[in-house]
Amino acid sequence: MSAAPPSAPTPQEPVEPPQLLQLGLDDEPCLRADAARNRARLLEAAAGLVAARGADAVTMEEVAAAAGVGKGTVFRRFGDRTGLLMALLDHSEKKLQAAFLGGPPPLGPGAPPAERLRAFGRAALRRTVEDLELQLAAEADPGRRFTLPPYRVRHHHVALLLRQAVPDADCDVLAHTLLAQLDPALIHHLMHQCGMPPQRLEDAWTDLVDRITGTTA
């Protein structure tokens, strides 16, 4: 007797309408006034170091000295160097989040899922190119990089759009695969070691989305 054919993949549950938790990088939304001033001062000092000497100059010791505080204050406020650098990237990341969570289409709600995926990748690539040095310096260790709030929000968003566009795929894993193309280290390699212009990377993202979703721009 012949074996039964394998069962078809079970479509993943729809998650419309999209309701994403907007996870920012700042886990202290209600700081006291004096603590908020200290935090702003530290971030201003760190931003000044990046502008003057590059992201490599952003160490906890350098920031403490530039801000005129003890090193322990910087560690208490940001935890470690990665936390400090991620706080510096907070503003532009929140702008991107606001755009794809609630901004106008095609990046925001209201456009077909494949079109939103194309727009998301292009917007994320442009942001990474603008902040590339800082993003490379802020790269988390392998044990943390996929659990940080900004990555989790991006993954949730991409997986949600994939479930709408290709519901029979393993969209959670596929979302990680797509996001790998937006990795700052890969973008640095392609642009600075392979000489690829940013437009080629955006075109490659669009082509990948088209192939995965079976659509065309």
Side-chain angles (χ1 to χ4, degrees):
M1 183 172 62
S2 59
S7 59
T10 303
Q12 299 175 45
E13 290 297 319
V15 285
E16 236 358 81
Q19 296 290 333
L20 290 182
L21 176 62
Q22 187 161 350
L23 297 170
L25 301 173
D26 183 2
D27 59 358
E28 298 176 280
C30 301
L31 293 173
R32 299 189 316 272
D34 58 340
R37 283 193 298 269
N38 284 340
R39 186 178 189 277
R41 199 163 117 208
L42 290 167
L43 289 175
E44 183 180 356
L49 286 169
V50 172
R53 295 162 49 191
D56 288 343
V58 183
T59 65
M60 306 302 257
E61 293 81 2
E62 290 274 3
V63 171
V69 301
K71 184 172 68 173
T73 300
V74 189
F75 278 100
R76 284 193 297 274
R77 179 59 56 212
F78 300 106
D80 57 16
R81 182 173 181 272
T82 296
L84 172 61
L85 295 173
M86 292 298 290
L88 276 177
L89 290 167
D90 180 55
H91 180 64
S92 60
E93 181 66 27
K94 283 183 176 176
K95 284 176 61 178
L96 177 62
Q97 283 185 19
F100 68 69
L101 289 173
L107 183 55
E115 190 174 348
R116 293 190 67 196
L117 278 170
R118 296 185 198 102
F120 169 78
R122 290 193 294 266
L125 278 164
R126 289 167 191 167
R127 176 184 176 263
T128 298
V129 170
E130 290 171 2
D131 295 327
L132 186 55
E133 183 181 0
L134 191 54
Q135 290 211 33
L136 288 171
E139 282 279 270
D141 63 78
R144 294 178 57 200
R145 65 184 304 184
F146 300 112
T147 61
L148 290 172
Y151 184 87
R152 289 167 54 200
V153 171
R154 290 185 177 204
H155 178 268
H156 189 154
H157 178 65
V158 172
L160 181 149
L161 294 176
L162 286 169
R163 288 189 186 103
Q164 297 169 10
V166 281
D168 58 340
D170 187 340
C171 295
D172 285 331
V173 174
L174 192 55
H176 286 296
T177 303
L178 270 172
L179 288 171
Q181 193 165 340
L182 305 178
D183 180 71
L186 176 62
I187 292 171
H188 179 271
H189 168 70
L190 294 175
M191 289 180 57
H192 297 284
Q193 296 176 321
C194 300
M196 295 185 188
Q199 185 60 52
R200 182 174 174 185
L201 303 184
E202 291 186 31
D203 292 344
W205 170 271
T206 299
D207 179 64
L208 183 59
V209 169
D210 291 350
R211 292 174 186 275
I212 289 172
T213 61
T215 60
T216 55

